[in-house]
Amino acid sequence: MKYGRPVAVTVKVTSTQGTPTGKVRVLEGSRNLGTTTLSGGAASFRLRGLAVGTHTLTVVYDGNATHATSQATVTVKVMRTTSRTKVSTPSVTVGTAPRATVTVISNVTVTGKATVTVRKGTTVVAKVTGTLRSGVVTVTLPKLARGTYAVSATYGGSTTITGSTGGTTLVVNPR
């Protein structure tokens, strides 16, 4: 399961003494993550807010007048969610400082830093880092000589989101 998405837990309580009724709970340790009522012996949970990592969940059936309590455990692994980075730069003329807009897309709000690297062939001619706000940052690059440049943007990731890189081409035209 990816971070930021709800974890689905489906419960089925069976008995040779008819269809169980009553409440079921999902616990992580002593923390109650949800409680619901069985319907036809089944129940579903959509758990939100589980951190990245492995979680051992205990599903507890509270029982009723004819059915004893019971419980089972399930292990859920929540992985970092993915990101996709896009960078755009409009063509400019010599003597103008170009701007690069970096957008990092994910299923959760992205914060942190993105670094824009400008290359002429294999030579790095500029590197600028900016702080993302809701997944977007615009940085001003230094003035560049006439020519075509490769521009890449890198988001390093976080504890909940994987890093990613995107690229584009920047053309600096003569005046």
Side-chain angles (χ1 to χ4, degrees):
M1 186 59 49
K2 298 280 186 178
Y3 176 79
R5 299 192 189 266
V7 174
V9 176
T10 302
V11 178
K12 180 79 175 161
V13 180
T14 60
S15 171
T16 58
Q17 308 282 302
T19 303
T21 60
K23 302 273 186 193
V24 288
R25 297 175 282 140
V26 176
L27 307 171
E28 183 173 27
S30 61
R31 190 176 106 190
N32 186 351
L33 302 179
T35 302
T36 193
T37 302
L38 289 172
S39 174
S44 294
F45 294 89
R46 292 182 60 81
L47 306 176
R48 296 188 182 279
L50 291 178
V52 171
T54 302
H55 302 267
T56 300
L57 306 179
T58 304
V59 179
V60 178
Y61 169 56
D62 289 337
N64 62 21
T66 56
H67 297 93
T69 63
S70 63
Q71 68 181 37
T73 59
V74 62
T75 301
V76 174
K77 184 173 183 175
V78 178
M79 299 176 294
R80 293 190 308 165
T81 194
T82 56
S83 71
R84 187 168 45 101
T85 297
K86 296 161 92 175
V87 60
S88 62
T89 56
S91 294
V92 295
T93 57
V94 170
T96 304
R99 295 169 63 87
T101 300
V102 179
T103 305
V104 180
I105 302 162
S106 183
N107 68 321
V108 295
T109 301
V110 180
T111 59
K113 300 210 179 273
T115 300
V116 176
T117 304
V118 181
R119 288 183 174 81
K120 180 77 169 169
T122 58
T123 304
V124 173
V125 295
K127 191 177 260 193
V128 180
T129 299
T131 300
L132 295 159
R133 295 198 197 301
S134 297
V136 179
V137 64
T138 299
V139 297
T140 301
L141 303 172
K143 294 177 183 176
L144 301 167
R146 177 182 172 196
T148 301
Y149 298 84
V151 179
S152 64
T154 302
Y155 169 64
S158 69
T159 58
T160 57
I161 306 169
T162 62
S164 58
T165 300
T168 192
T169 302
L170 168 63
V171 177
V172 179
N173 297 304
R175 287 187 189 242

